[in-house]
Amino acid sequence: MNIILFGPPGAGKGTQAKMLCEKYNLLHLSTGEILRNEIKQNTELGKSVKEVIESGKLVSDEIIIKILNLAMDNSRQDNLSGYLFDGFPRNIDQANLLSSLLESLKIKIDCILLIEVDEPILLERILSRKMVEDRSDDNKEILASRIQVYSQETEPLIEYFSANHVVKKVDGVGEIHEVNQRINNALEGF
Ligand code: AMP
């Protein structure tokens, strides 16, 4: 099974993605997580994206495609049952790039999953996540920029994909296990 996960920052994508990947034996392709690891390890790549991430803007498509290809290549031998794209694609150019990548690899997306959460709750969640994860882009000002980028560049992709794909929308408000149950219900039959 191959899934693309959408949702605004703070919707709980990372947490739900991990649970889904375990359940369905999928590779969790989180471009944000890969970039955060690069920053943590202080690599050249990490240094080059730190400022952009801390402004809440998008990293260049070129860098994103490079890290994505690498992560997919490294997973070839892993006997996985599919991919879960989390945080990619983020704009129309990335969506087009993903479509051609999937076509060349003969991979079909089974479902587009959208976790929906209203803005005031996103801020609450981001602020409490900051206490636990200490993400440098989790604060009120950067969140506003991330939400703006999401609604202008990423959210329109739901419409883009809905032409040829099944889109499942899930209410992301509630406890982790409740949201997880809704997602499992939405994915029944795939
Ligand atoms: P995330 O963990 O998905 O919320 O991503 C954190 C940050 O990493 C984003 O605000 C962007 O600056 C950067 N990022 C992650 N994925 C992408 C992507 N697909 N395209 C561009 N920037 C990205």
Side-chain angles (χ1 to χ4, degrees):
M1 166 143 69
N2 299 293
I3 299 171
I4 306 179
L5 187 57
F6 285 107
K13 295 190 297 297
T15 307
Q16 296 298 334
K18 287 194 175 76
M19 295 165 94
L20 275 176
C21 287
E22 206 161 295
K23 181 169 174 170
Y24 293 101
N25 187 34
L26 309 178
L27 178 67
H28 183 196
L29 285 166
S30 163
T31 43
E33 202 166 283
I34 296 171
L35 294 171
R36 276 189 292 283
N37 280 333
E38 295 284 335
I39 294 175
K40 217 180 274 168
Q41 289 162 28
N42 209 22
T43 63
E44 284 310 309
L45 174 65
K47 285 185 221 166
S48 73
V49 297
K50 191 170 188 295
E51 212 175 295
V52 182
I53 290 188
E54 290 177 359
S55 71
K57 304 254 161 57
L58 294 182
V59 169
S60 77
D61 294 347
E62 203 187 341
I63 290 180
I64 295 296
I65 291 298
K66 203 165 104 187
I67 60 170
L68 191 78
N69 276 326
L70 200 65
M72 288 175 86
D73 278 352
N74 288 343
S75 73
R76 285 272 151 81
Q77 315 297 328
D78 289 352
N79 223 355
L80 293 152
S81 310
Y83 297 102
L84 188 152
F85 296 92
D86 165 10
F88 174 87
R90 281 287 230 277
N91 59 29
I92 189 75
D93 288 338
Q94 290 184 12
N96 287 324
L97 283 163
L98 178 63
S99 297
S100 16
L101 177 71
L102 294 177
E103 204 173 309
S104 69
L105 296 173
K106 301 202 171 4
I107 292 172
K108 195 180 120 301
I109 295 295
D110 299 285
C111 179
I112 309 288
L113 196 60
L114 169 63
I115 304 182
E116 295 181 303
V117 175
D118 287 340
E119 204 168 318
I121 299 174
L122 296 176
L123 179 61
E124 259 172 51
R125 289 219 184 141
I126 290 279
L127 295 180
S128 56
R129 182 169 74 184
K130 184 157 188 65
M131 317 265 215
V132 185
E133 292 182 19
D134 196 27
R135 268 179 63 162
S136 59
D137 60 347
D138 275 350
N139 71 42
K140 198 174 172 189
E141 291 70 35
I142 303 174
L143 178 67
S145 161
R146 288 162 65 200
I147 288 178
Q148 191 184 16
V149 171
Y150 179 77
S151 52
Q152 284 177 355
E153 301 201 43
T154 310
E155 218 172 8
L157 301 181
I158 314 279
E159 187 71 36
Y160 168 98
F161 282 108
S162 67
N164 295 307
H165 295 85
V166 178
V167 177
K168 296 277 184 185
K169 297 185 181 184
V170 171
D171 176 6
V173 180
E175 296 295 323
I176 291 172
H177 71 272
E178 289 170 336
V179 179
N180 184 246
Q181 191 54 54
R182 289 177 204 139
I183 291 177
N184 287 337
N185 293 344
L187 291 178
E188 236 166 59
F190 283 100

